[in-house]
Amino acid sequence: MEQVVAQLLQELGEGVVTPGEAVPERYWNDWAGLEPVPPAALVRPATTAEVSVCLRICNDHRRGVVPQGGLTGLAGGARPEGGAVALSLERLAGVEEIDPATATMTLRAGTVLETAQAAAEEAGFLLPLDLGARGSCQIGGNLATNAGGNRVVRFGMARDMVLGLEAVLADGTVLCGLNRLLKNNAGFDLKQLFIGSEGVLGVITRAVLRLQPRPRSRAVAFCGLRGFAEVVALLERARGGLGGQLSAFEAMWPGFYDLLTGRLAHLRAPLAGRHGMYLLLEAQGYDPAHDGARFEGFLEGLFTEGLVEDAVLARSEADIRDLWAVRDAVAEFPQILGRHVNFDIGMVIGVMDDYVRACEPRLAARFPGIRAVFFGHVADGNIHVVTDVPEGVRPQEIEAEVYDLVRRFRGTVSAEHGIGTIKKPYLGHVRSPEEIALMRRLKRSLDPRGILNPGKVIDP
Ligand code: FAD
Ligand code: ZN
């Protein structure tokens, strides 16, 4: 047995450490669809102190450590490549405290997002972070990727919900910053180093999250529009017209709508006719007696102004689920498209449709027969592109085309999933050489031996 694994076993025990050959395959990979690789060992600590011991030993042995949350990441960031030790946070789970007076929740990194949402709800609050992977992804993974999701337009990204963080540095030092104050300007805001840095600067072990009052009304409509100009005009209306209640604004280009409603037996197409764009609009409020009427009035105004061609309004919880099901059907892409590539690009909303109109023919010309669909959180400047991978084509060739066009539109190669392994070659499309040099200096300063998630995001 390797010395580092023997020492991990000796100090942490068999209940925490599983040597390489016995590690179940589920820890070999995340959702990005790369080739699975076995780790040198799997470590599953149940306390921050055990995380610290694991990192100290691996740092002494100069052995790579790959933090793992729910393994739903789409950038290859949690794959334990290069003979690294996999450090799963799944046993460091649970909500420790909900404090109604400060409206905060203190929880451990391995808590599954859905569990945290349910705990907040039970206490009369809303944890606004929400994404399709909610049943598997963990708070630690959400913060390490600065996850976005469906409610960013109202509540911001994961980063915006964090007040305090506990993290462990590469050498095992524990930084306990479980701040609950909304305002705390005493020195650098160190937690920001760990949020969105995909496990390359430290391991997140606990967090204090900000909660919102639980909404008491929810209205959802699915709209058909003539084109993208109407989507932009509708967004401007919805920001003010819904009295600050706009909570989701999800657009779908026709190729996406046709593919999903045509191929999935359980999905009913919400609208009878065909439209240039489709939009899912949601508002959440605190005045159930009047919110429904306000939403309906808003929709009627859209018809009068000619901003929507058709729309269906949810009349029940079941309707709400059915309308969201179209957008949430993205989880079925593996079934529909087989081998596919997933993009989370971003750009200002004003050029988004021009991007789609440039990208579609470019991909079709370069990869005959390719299927590409476009949808996403357009109010956040974020679109998802999903393409299949035609016979004889490498995913990297498709990526190069999509990202080259993103650079021309001055967009970003990652609006929400992170850089991980897959997008590393394209970081320079978005960040300047000076910015990347500073990222490297930070990495060297926090992790001088380069053990934390080696090979991800940036090379030292
Ligand atoms: P993992 O995949 O396990 O890890 C992700 C990265 O974080 C890795 O680099 C890992 O090393 C690091 N990491 C994990 N835990 C820690 C920790 N405790 N400390 C330090 N580093 C850590 N993402 C969005 O942003 N918006 C969406 O709408 C969205 N929808 C999705 C829908 C589906 C169906 C799927 C499969 C994925 C979706 N994702 C989305 C991507 C993914 O769910 C998110 O990136 C999520 O935040 C990852 O969490 P995880 O716990 O699974 O992390
Ligand atoms: Zn998304």
Side-chain angles (χ1 to χ4, degrees), residues 131 148-150 250 327 343-344 375-377 382-384 416-417:
L131 41 144
N150 298 334
E250 295 291 316
R327 174 60 180 82
F343 298 92
D344 62 310
F375 61 100
H377 325 283
N382 174 197
I383 28 178
H384 292 300
E416 57 177 13
H417 301 157

Side-chain angles (χ1 to χ4, degrees), residues 31 67 69-73 77 133 138 142 144-145 147-149 198-199 204 416-417 453:
W31 252 71
L71 296 165
T72 68
Q138 300 172 5
N142 297 150
T145 56
E198 302 178 60
I204 297 166
E416 57 177 13
H417 301 157
N453 219 354

Side-chain angles (χ1 to χ4, degrees), residues 126 151 154-155 215 217-219 245-247 282-286:
L126 171 75
R151 304 255 145 65
R154 171 89 163 263
F155 298 104
S217 74
R218 185 177 181 198
Q245 296 188 348
L246 177 66
S247 59
E282 184 189 79
Q284 293 186 331
Y286 300 97

